[in-house]
Amino acid sequence: MNETATQTVVRLDRVGKTYGSGESAVHAVEDVSLELEPGKFFILMGPSGSGKTTLLMLMGCLLRPTSGVVYLFDRKVSGLGEAELPRVRRDNVGFIFQGFNLFPALTALENVEATLNLKGLRGEAARAKARDLLGHIGLAKRLHHLPEDLSGGEKQRVAVARALAGNPPIILADEPTGQLDSKTGRLIVEVLKDLAHNEGRLIFMVSHDTRILGLADRIFTIDDGHLKD
Amino acid sequence: MVSIARKNLFHDKVRLAVALAGITFAVVLITVQVGVYLAFLANASVLIDHTEADIWITAHGLENFDFGRAFSEKKLYEVEEVPGVLWAEKYFLAFGYWKTPTGSQETVQMIGFDPETLVGAPWDIVRGNPQDVKYFNSIFYDEAETNRLGDVPIGGETEINNHRVRVVGITRGAKSFIQSPYIFTSFKNALNLSYVSKGNTVYILVKVAPGASVEAVKQRLKETVKDVDVYTSREFSKKTRDYWMINTGTGVALLSIALMGVVIGTVIVANTIYTSTTEHLKEYGTLKAVGASNWHLYKIILEQAVINSVLGFGLGMFVSYWVIQVMKRGNLQVLLPWPILAGVYVTTLLMCLGSSLLSIYKVTKIDPALVFKS
Ligand SMILES: Nc1ncnc2c1ncn2[C@@H]1O[C@H](COP(=O)(O)OP(=O)(O)OP(=O)(O)O)[C@@H](O)[C@H]1O
Ligand SMILES: [Mg+2]
């Protein structure tokens, strides 16, 4: 890859997050520095309670660090206020969760469409885009199903389509395969890997599954809040 | 645009039904109680409001129209002498006992007016000519009172205070539902039928000459005529309504039932909206994670409240209509002008919006970590 074209999308500089204070303080993430480039598929591993989700939330601007600085595209976002953060997330980040988090009352299409609406796309354009996103991920025949009528793998694919709504350069996924069998899980991971390699997105995924490590461009491990390559 | 609010609301039909039942209940209670209250209010002063007098002169210390007390009719001459008085008329009111066709007794209020001038005569006549009350013991009664007085036809006879009376006409809208039925007859007949001694009147009605100030004439009457109270029609009307509404506690009773409807409705709606919000907290959190502002989430919750209020109000109006029909058959009046119905809707809307406050607070406080829990 051309060196000059490589730009850092996410940069953490000595970032720490402590929950609570005094006796009950939990140092969930300590002194983490890293730089992540676009077009790469990253996997983060670590034992339960080691700080994976916390790190993901810091990168996704859902949490503000108690120390250090978070940069997105060289912009310092860790100092932004509650009023600006939603906008930063909206323009930059898509999330995928272990529990899918789809609106049970909305069909697959509507779940994606609602997110597009939120990101400023309206009416027929939003509908067409949602159909497009779901079609790309192989759900063209499931557009009008409610989440309860979809399999786990299908639900997670809807969630992937939703994460892609608004075309965010960063996708953060927290154990997206946690509720799927290994075969379905692997398919989802392959989809994510392709999103990185073919579309140039930065994919950062938390996983426990050692069998998929081979798909990653780079693997991080975290233990007790400390990050290792 | 995908309306998350609408989809959410109609997805859980049982919850929607509970919320709508709560709102409908509240709307019906408010509508019916306020309607009865207004009818009650208008009704309490119905005779005063339909009489063309500008000023009412009453015995001293009178509390309201229905408790009229007699005083000497000689005051009439003093009243007529006061400058600015165009005319003054005697007007009679006394209780009597009406014998129903079944033989039981019903208390009535006999109104006596002058059949020549027709001042204080019934204003809405179903049958008969009000001038006919000039004949001996001839009376009118209201069509709405047949269930209390019995269906005595025109030309039929019955007794008041053991005197034979003859029905010569039927009125409409001269019904007191606080007090006993009103019977209209001539001043002279009413006085004869009553136990009030001759030479007395109960009210003197005054019309002010064109160009003269009602307030000024009232002041002059107050100074000139002793041992009486002088009110403008509007004052006397209000005094009478206030008496029934405030002194008797009737208004408070009616309105507190309406208020209870609002409270119960709010509790039910707040509860269902809150449970729904709590159940969808993770999805709201997800919207927040992908960039929704708090305001965006508030809009979803408020839209649910508005939809609830519209549907609940519609259902409430439908049910109220039938409740009111039944009440009218039971002879209870209900008065619901459009502005009041608009007010009921606004109350419903506020109730639904108020019910959302707790939910709004809840989504404001969503912990971002929630969305990552499986
Ligand atoms: N809101 C919070 N308040 C206090 N402590 C917290 C909070 N959230 C997380 N923690 C603690 O911080 C540590 C890291 O939590 P985190 O959720 O980041 O771990 P994780 O690696 O994602 O775990 P898992 O694999 O179980 O999801 C844990 O000890 C956890 O108990
Ligand atoms: Mg976690």
Side-chain angles (χ1 to χ4, degrees), chain B residues 44-123:
Chain B
S45 57
V46 67
L47 293 194
I48 304 170
D49 300 335
H50 280 98
T51 299
E52 55 173 311
D54 297 319
I55 290 173
W56 285 67
I57 298 173
T58 78
H60 182 62
L62 200 70
E63 284 171 310
N64 78 68
F65 173 83
D66 294 279
F67 295 172
R69 273 202 322 274
F71 60 91
S72 169
E73 65 175 26
K74 293 212 178 75
K75 301 277 182 200
L76 183 64
Y77 310 120
E78 295 175 35
V79 170
E80 282 171 336
E81 293 308 309
V82 171
V85 172
L86 182 64
W87 50 250
E89 288 271 352
K90 293 183 292 180
Y91 184 77
F92 193 83
L93 172 76
F95 283 93
Y97 294 103
W98 168 284
K99 192 171 162 194
T100 68
T102 60
S104 62
Q105 296 239 310
E106 186 73 40
T107 310
V108 292
Q109 297 191 92
M110 295 179 288
I111 307 291
F113 62 94
D114 182 343
E116 296 294 321
T117 63
L118 292 178
V119 173
W123 56 94

Side-chain angles (χ1 to χ4, degrees), chain A residues 86 89 95 101 110 117 122, chain B residues 1-2 7 286 288-289 291 371:
Chain A
R89 291 197 294 267
F95 288 96
N101 300 4
E110 289 162 346
N117 291 159
R122 294 187 180 238
Chain B
M1 278 291 270
V2 178
K7 296 276 174 177
T286 304
K288 228 171 160 172
V371 296

Side-chain angles (χ1 to χ4, degrees), chain A residues 19 26 28 47-54 175 208, chain B residues 367:
Chain A
Y19 292 110
V26 178
S48 183
S50 56
K52 302 183 295 295
T53 298
T54 304
E175 298 187 46
H208 277 310
Chain B
D367 175 8

